[in-house]
Amino acid sequence: MSKLPFRRLSNAQFQRLFFKNTLSVFLSISVPLLISVLAVYSYCHSSLMAETDAANLRSLENTRATVEMIVGETESMLLRYASSDDLNDLLRITKEQFPDYSFIRSAREQIKIMSLAARPYLDHAITAYSEVSDFTFSSLLGGQACTYFSDQTLLPTYRALKEEEPSQSTYCVLRQADYLDYSPWVLTFYRTIPTPSSPENTFIAIDVSINMLRSYLTDSTSSENGAILILDAENHILFDSTGEHLGASLASLFEEGSESDSFLSGEEGAATFQVAGSPQRVSWLPLAPTSLRGLIWVQLGPYDA
């Protein structure tokens, strides 16, 4: 019986020693290992974000170069038409002069010129409108009185833009055209052609097809991996590589409180946001010299921070 206390003391010392050794092993091996794993994860995550941002900005740089080329070329075409004496003479003809064969010949020549000038893999239509005669001349539909012209949104859209910004002579707007029951999305570039009797409402318009533009800017139209967007000055979506958000406001895609409008006010940058309910790495870039902005996002998936 006298040995029992000694036994209890030995067991207690052994338990303390075992606990001490176990704690030492955990602190000396497990904790440094855990810290190392977290450090490696943090480094890999930051490297992944840096590589993603660099790849996004490269894509946006390519997008900017393509957009600048297309916009510059389109504006040159509009200026060339606006400076054309033959087109200006045609747009000044009144309805009373229509029976004259010279009008028919001139109209045919200008429509043929428009048809030949239209870029086959980019332009949907080139259209001139004369308020003097209320007549349209289109590379797609030929010459028609405006009343019978199928694209009935062309003229109201221009007048709305002119009323909003009367001092401008060129405009760019996203709209749905209406051609023979076919309503494609187009970017319409307008240029005013002043005439003595109609200084504001005679114009030339070039419709750039969104579907055709998509083939210039991206190889994929799937939304699974992300999207490329082009925004106007008010952050409305003029181009969406997936075709899902055309005409929408950018703020409508971001979760409330993401301050999506504020981060686009600066120069190029990147950040992580919740877009359509999932984490996305978003990069943006001004498309100088225009007022447009380019934006690209990719899904983070399992790499969400």
Side-chain angles (χ1 to χ4, degrees):
M1 298 296 295
S2 61
K3 293 182 179 180
L4 289 177
F6 177 76
R7 249 188 232 107
R8 287 196 203 97
L9 182 61
S10 298
N11 289 338
Q13 288 178 341
F14 176 78
Q15 290 173 357
R16 287 197 297 271
L17 183 62
F18 177 80
F19 177 77
K20 180 180 178 181
N21 291 338
T22 302
L23 184 62
S24 298
V25 170
F26 177 78
L27 293 176
S28 61
I29 298 178
S30 300
V31 173
L33 181 61
L34 179 62
I35 294 174
S36 300
V37 169
L38 292 176
V40 170
Y41 174 82
S42 176
Y43 173 77
C44 292
H45 183 271
S46 61
S47 298
L48 176 65
M49 291 299 100
E51 292 177 6
T52 300
D53 294 342
N56 286 348
L57 287 177
R58 282 196 300 270
S59 296
L60 287 176
E61 288 285 359
N62 293 335
T63 299
R64 175 162 62 182
T66 304
V67 169
E68 288 179 357
M69 179 194 69
I70 292 173
V71 171
E73 189 177 64
T74 304
E75 289 179 341
S76 296
M77 292 171 65
L78 290 174
L79 180 60
R80 187 165 64 249
Y81 282 119
S83 305
S84 169
D85 292 335
D86 292 336
L87 181 59
N88 275 269
D89 291 341
L90 177 64
L91 297 177
R92 291 187 178 96
I93 294 177
T94 63
K95 289 182 179 180
E96 289 74 18
Q97 298 172 283
F98 280 8
D100 190 340
Y101 180 74
S102 61
F103 164 76
I104 299 174
R105 181 179 59 191
S106 179
R108 284 180 177 176
E109 289 176 355
Q110 290 304 313
I111 291 171
K112 182 179 180 180
I113 290 172
M114 291 178 188
S115 300
L116 293 174
R119 295 160 291 188
Y121 299 105
L122 187 61
D123 294 334
H124 184 72
I126 300 176
T127 306
Y129 169 75
S130 170
E131 188 180 42
V132 176
S133 59
D134 196 30
F135 210 79
T136 57
F137 307 89
S138 171
S139 64
L140 188 65
L141 298 174
Q144 291 182 343
C146 191
T147 306
Y148 303 105
F149 189 62
S150 64
D151 188 6
Q152 289 295 307
T153 64
L154 181 69
L155 182 56
T157 301
Y158 171 80
R159 286 177 173 167
L161 292 169
K162 198 66 179 177
E163 183 177 350
E164 184 177 345
E165 297 289 346
S167 61
Q168 287 187 205
S169 60
T170 58
Y171 305 90
C172 175
V173 64
L174 176 72
R175 67 185 187 92
Q176 271 191 290
D178 186 9
Y179 290 95
L180 304 175
D181 298 325
Y182 170 55
S183 302
W185 282 100
V186 295
L187 269 177
T188 301
F189 294 81
Y190 294 96
R191 185 177 180 89
T192 303
I193 302 180
T195 60
S197 57
S198 175
E200 294 184 351
N201 290 325
T202 295
F203 61 82
I204 181 77
I206 298 178
D207 294 327
V208 175
S209 168
I210 291 295
N211 284 335
M212 295 181 185
L213 181 61
R214 192 174 290 120
S215 65
Y216 279 80
L217 299 180
T218 181
D219 296 327
S220 173
T221 59
S222 173
S223 60
E224 294 182 357
N225 298 322
I228 296 176
L229 308 180
I230 295 177
L231 313 171
D232 64 11
E234 287 76 36
N235 288 342
H236 292 117
I237 300 172
L238 300 180
F239 172 84
D240 175 12
S241 61
T242 67
E244 297 178 0
H245 310 294
L246 285 172
S249 170
L250 180 66
S252 66
L253 305 183
F254 287 75
E255 290 192 356
E256 188 175 353
S258 65
E259 300 180 352
S260 58
D261 289 336
S262 63
F263 77 80
L264 278 172
S265 61
E267 294 299 319
E268 64 184 56
T272 301
F273 293 94
Q274 289 288 327
V275 182
S278 60
Q280 312 277 357
R281 189 64 178 178
V282 181
S283 302
W284 61 92
L285 187 71
L287 302 182
T290 69
S291 61
L292 305 178
R293 292 187 179 94
L295 181 145
I296 185 172
W297 72 56
V298 294
Q299 294 191 12
L300 294 181
Y303 301 102
D304 177 26

